[in-house]
Amino acid sequence: MKLFLFLFVGLVMGPSFLEIGFPKFADPVASICANLFLLMAGLELSFKKMGRQLLPAAKLSVGAFLFPFLTGLIAAMIILRDTPLAGPESYIFIALALAVSALPVAIQILKDLKLYHTDLGRLIIATATLCDILAWVCFALILPAESLKSWFVTHLSLVFFFLGLALSDSPYPSERLREQLQRLNTWVFGPIFFISIGWKLNLWLNLDWSQVLLVFILASVSKWGGSYWTARQMGFSKQRSLLLGLTLNSRGAVEIIISNLALQQGLISEKIFATLVILAIATSLIPGPVTRLAKLRDE
C-alpha cells in the first residue's frame, strides 16, 4: 500500500496537479529502479514454498485466473472496438490485467486475520503466486519483437523478473543480502518507479469513469465469482470460499507494473492505463471488509 502513496506523490507533481515537468535525467534512473523492483518481485515468489499446495492451487487458479482472463477478453473487445489498438495482443493484455493477483496484499490480509500460517493461508499464497507467474509468462509471449536484439530490449524488465524467480529457491543471494535488497526495494526502487509513473500520467485527461466502472465490475465479479465457485467445487464452505475470492481479487502493484510495460510497448492507451491504475488501487482497498471475516478463522 505504501507504493500507492508514492504513486499519488507522482500524480501531485505531474500534469494531474502541479504540472511540474518530468526531468529527462530521471527516465533512465526510473527504468533501472523498475528492473530492480521486478527482480525483487521474482525473488519473493517461490515454487518450493507452494509445496503440497501446488495441485489445489492449480485447481483454484481455474476460477482465480481463467474466469477473469476470459472475461477480460470480452471486456477488451468492447473497450477497444473501433480503435487503432484493437488486436489480439491488446486483448490478451487486458485479460491478463484482470487475471493477476496481488501477492503482497494477500499476505497482509492473511497476517491480519492470523491465517498466514494455516493451510488456507498457504493455499491463497500459492494461488496468488501461480496467477502472477502465469500472467508474466503470457505477457512475455505477447510482447512484440522483430529480432533477437529488439526482443531483449522489449523483454529486459521481464528478464529481471524471471531471473529473480529462478533465484528465489536458491541459496543465492544470501538471506542477509536479500533483506538488504528488500529494504532498498521498499524505500528506493519501488518509490522512484511509482513516483515516475504518477508523474507522467495526466489522470484527468485520461480518466473515463464509465470505463473504470465497467472494468471494475467485470474484473471484481469474474475474479471473486470464479474463485468462489471453484472453491465451492473443491469442498470449501461458503465462508471460506468468500474469503478466498475476496483475497485473490486484489491486484495491487503487479497490475500497475505490467500495465506500464504494456503502455510503453503500445499495447494500451493512456486512457486504458489510467483505468487499470484505478482498478489496481480500488481492488487493493477492498481487503478492509475482509478483516471482518476474522472470526471465521477458527471454523
Side-chain angles (χ1 to χ4, degrees):
M1 297 304 294
K2 294 188 189 77
L3 293 176
F4 293 148
L5 295 177
F6 291 115
L7 178 67
F8 179 73
V9 169
L11 286 171
V12 170
M13 296 174 70
S16 298
F17 291 96
L18 298 180
E19 300 183 353
I20 300 173
F22 186 78
K24 292 183 178 180
F25 73 85
D27 256 332
V29 176
S31 296
I32 292 171
C33 287
N35 292 335
L36 293 173
F37 185 88
L38 285 172
L39 175 70
M40 293 306 300
L43 277 173
E44 290 177 0
L45 303 179
S46 170
F47 284 107
K48 185 177 180 180
K49 290 178 181 177
M50 289 188 197
R52 60 191 178 89
Q53 298 291 352
L54 182 56
L55 182 57
K59 293 179 180 178
L60 187 55
S61 294
V62 172
F65 186 88
L66 186 59
F67 277 33
F69 180 84
L70 294 176
T71 302
L73 285 178
I74 297 171
M77 292 176 187
I78 296 172
I79 294 171
L80 298 179
R81 69 181 185 277
D82 302 325
T83 71
L85 292 172
E89 292 87 358
S90 297
Y91 295 160
I92 292 172
F93 169 73
I94 292 178
L96 292 175
L98 268 63
V100 296
S101 291
L103 182 61
V105 177
I107 289 174
Q108 189 57 54
I109 294 170
L110 294 169
K111 286 182 177 180
D112 291 342
L113 299 180
K114 296 182 172 57
L115 289 170
Y116 184 66
H117 295 292
T118 65
D119 285 342
L120 180 65
R122 283 187 280 270
L123 173 60
I124 291 174
I125 290 172
T127 305
T129 300
L130 200 55
C131 287
D132 278 0
I133 293 173
L134 285 170
W136 283 110
V137 170
C138 293
F139 186 51
L141 294 175
I142 65 171
L143 278 182
E146 298 175 357
S147 64
L148 181 61
K149 181 180 179 181
S150 66
W151 184 95
F152 187 78
V153 171
T154 57
H155 290 68
L156 183 59
S157 296
L158 297 182
V159 170
F160 274 85
F161 171 79
F162 285 110
L163 175 62
L165 181 61
L167 294 173
S168 62
D169 291 325
S170 75
Y172 306 101
S174 66
E175 194 62 36
R176 182 180 178 184
L177 180 56
R178 290 190 189 213
E179 290 176 359
Q180 292 172 340
L181 287 172
Q182 188 57 54
R183 283 195 289 271
L184 285 172
N185 196 47
T186 301
W187 298 109
V188 180
F189 307 151
I192 290 176
F193 177 48
F194 275 77
I195 286 173
S196 71
I197 290 176
W199 202 334
K200 296 176 183 178
L201 178 63
N202 190 326
L203 191 62
W204 312 126
L205 182 64
N206 295 290
L207 196 57
D208 182 339
W209 284 111
S210 62
Q211 185 179 101
V212 170
L213 184 61
L214 173 65
V215 172
F216 176 80
I217 292 173
L218 291 175
S220 297
V221 171
S222 62
K223 187 80 163 178
W224 172 81
S227 301
Y228 177 87
W229 180 84
T230 308
R232 290 290 289 150
Q233 300 306 306
M234 293 171 64
F236 286 94
S237 68
K238 291 181 180 180
Q239 292 86 354
R240 290 304 171 94
S241 298
L242 176 65
L243 179 60
L244 279 162
L246 288 172
T247 306
L248 291 170
N249 187 47
S250 58
R251 287 165 180 83
V254 175
E255 182 180 286
I256 294 177
I257 293 169
I258 65 171
S259 297
N260 185 63
L261 292 173
L263 178 64
Q264 292 174 356
Q265 297 303 320
L267 295 180
I268 59 174
S269 64
E270 289 196 6
K271 183 177 178 180
I272 295 173
F273 177 67
T275 295
L276 295 178
V277 168
I278 298 297
L279 174 66
I281 295 173
T283 56
S284 295
L285 294 176
I286 286 176
V290 175
T291 58
R292 301 192 187 101
L293 300 174
K295 62 183 179 182
L296 301 177
R297 63 181 180 270
D298 294 323
E299 289 187 359

